[in-house]
Amino acid sequence: MFIIEQTLIAYDHAMPNIGVPEIGILVAVLAVIAIAVVLVVTAAARAGRTSVTHMTTSGPLPPHDLESALRTLIADGKQIHAIKLLRQHTGLGLKSAKDAVEAMAAGRDHPALARLRPPAPALARPDLATRVRELKAAGRTEQAVHLVIGETGMSLGDAETFVRTL
């Protein structure tokens, strides 16, 4: 008990002017500082997310725009945002989207990224009449008849007539 009394006496001598009102003011000042810090951090976080929020909420992006948006995010070091954007626009799972973004960052190709590119144009195939003429010229008339049946659905007699007239 004696030690507690000595401590209280020493406390009274060290801080004689601090009472309940002073402690209340100190707590209020600390609360205002804490609120200011939270507001600054929140504003900074929102400023950093603006471009990603705009890209993800503005509807589906065309594939070439999506690929360029992903490249921009990766270049800015925002791979997590790139993964999120890729998942939202393609429906990929988390692992597939992560692998695709990592491949893009490393300059490699990934099957999920191939879906973003337009398909290669189909090679032009000669029309049916040209192919039938080529088969006839090679002496493969029966194959020419079957080709006509397979592509047009003609009867055997009609297909033979078509091949003969060419």
Side-chain angles (χ1 to χ4, degrees):
M1 197 66 170
F2 177 73
I3 295 175
I4 295 174
E5 289 176 6
Q6 291 298 320
T7 305
L8 289 175
I9 292 171
Y11 176 76
D12 284 341
H13 291 293
M15 302 176 121
N17 294 333
I18 294 189
V20 173
E22 289 83 9
I23 292 175
I25 292 171
L26 183 61
V27 168
V29 168
L30 291 175
V32 169
I33 291 171
I35 290 171
V37 167
V38 168
L39 290 176
V40 168
V41 168
T42 304
R46 283 187 184 158
R49 283 187 295 192
T50 302
S51 62
V52 174
T53 303
H54 172 69
M55 285 189 283
T56 58
T57 59
S58 62
L61 293 172
H64 64 292
D65 287 347
L66 177 59
E67 189 169 3
S68 65
L70 291 171
R71 292 194 188 286
T72 301
L73 288 169
I74 291 168
D76 291 344
K78 297 180 178 180
Q79 285 192 342
I80 292 173
H81 295 295
I83 293 168
K84 180 180 177 184
L85 184 66
L86 183 60
R87 290 187 71 203
Q88 286 177 343
H89 288 278
T90 62
L92 287 174
L94 179 60
K95 178 156 178 31
S96 297
K98 179 181 178 287
D99 292 345
V101 167
E102 286 175 351
M104 185 181 275
R108 296 186 321 264
D109 199 20
H110 188 274
L113 299 174
R115 295 191 322 186
L116 301 179
R117 295 184 198 98
L123 298 175
R125 219 170 80 166
D127 66 340
L128 179 61
T130 304
R131 291 182 285 150
V132 168
R133 282 187 195 106
E134 290 172 356
L135 287 171
K136 252 179 90 173
R140 297 166 49 193
T141 308
E142 190 175 327
Q143 284 182 337
V145 170
H146 286 292
L147 175 67
V148 171
I149 292 171
E151 291 206 12
T152 64
M154 287 183 187
S155 68
L156 178 62
D158 291 339
E160 287 174 343
T161 305
F162 178 79
V163 170
R164 246 192 338 263
T165 57
L166 287 179

